[in-house]
Amino acid sequence: MKKSLSRMNTNELRDLAVELGADRKKLYGTSKQSLILTIDRLRKEAASKENYIIVDENDNVMFGGQHYTEVGADKVWNMYNGIYEDENGERYIYIKKVEEE
């Protein structure tokens, strides 16, 4: 089970913020509450980014390469129940995270 942010110590919060993309050097001397707010902001930014695509089992990009948020990609996958059917038959589809360049 995940530990809540309020129960983490400052070093754990700093490590989590860095995992989410913050600059470690800028986080030193930051209060625990400020780190929690930073983590919350970084999580919201990550969730709003459209960096997911739908691919089939052969890693072919589906739906014209449309990019989705994580929630949007989940909705598309659920809509097809993980199986896309067209004139060529059925294909299993997967959500793939697109790495930023």
Side-chain angles (χ1 to χ4, degrees):
M1 188 166 138
K2 277 188 180 179
K3 195 191 260 190
S4 72
L5 294 179
S6 61
R7 294 194 184 272
M8 290 182 170
N9 67 41
T10 306
N11 288 328
E12 291 171 321
L13 290 169
R14 188 178 301 114
D15 290 342
L16 180 56
V18 169
E19 284 178 28
L20 293 169
D23 182 2
R24 180 177 295 278
K25 291 179 182 177
K26 292 182 180 178
L27 297 176
Y28 284 104
T30 305
S31 71
K32 185 174 176 179
Q33 185 60 38
S34 182
L35 285 169
I36 290 171
L37 292 171
T38 299
I39 289 167
D40 186 50
R41 179 183 52 80
L42 291 168
R43 283 179 172 169
K44 286 178 182 174
E45 287 174 3
S48 68
K49 288 184 181 176
E50 294 183 347
N51 54 357
Y52 293 88
I53 56 174
I54 307 294
V55 297
D56 67 7
E57 64 266 16
N58 298 319
D59 214 27
N60 296 317
V61 177
M62 305 290 292
F63 310 117
Q66 173 70 44
H67 284 67
Y68 302 93
T69 62
E70 185 174 7
V71 171
D74 284 338
K75 286 181 180 179
V76 171
W77 190 92
N78 287 330
M79 185 172 66
Y80 289 101
N81 206 23
I83 302 172
Y84 179 75
E85 187 174 349
D86 62 7
E87 64 276 355
N88 298 323
E90 290 183 347
R91 294 187 272 177
Y92 289 100
I93 58 174
Y94 303 93
I95 298 170
K96 181 177 181 180
K97 184 170 184 172
V98 177
E99 297 301 321
E100 294 181 27
E101 295 178 15

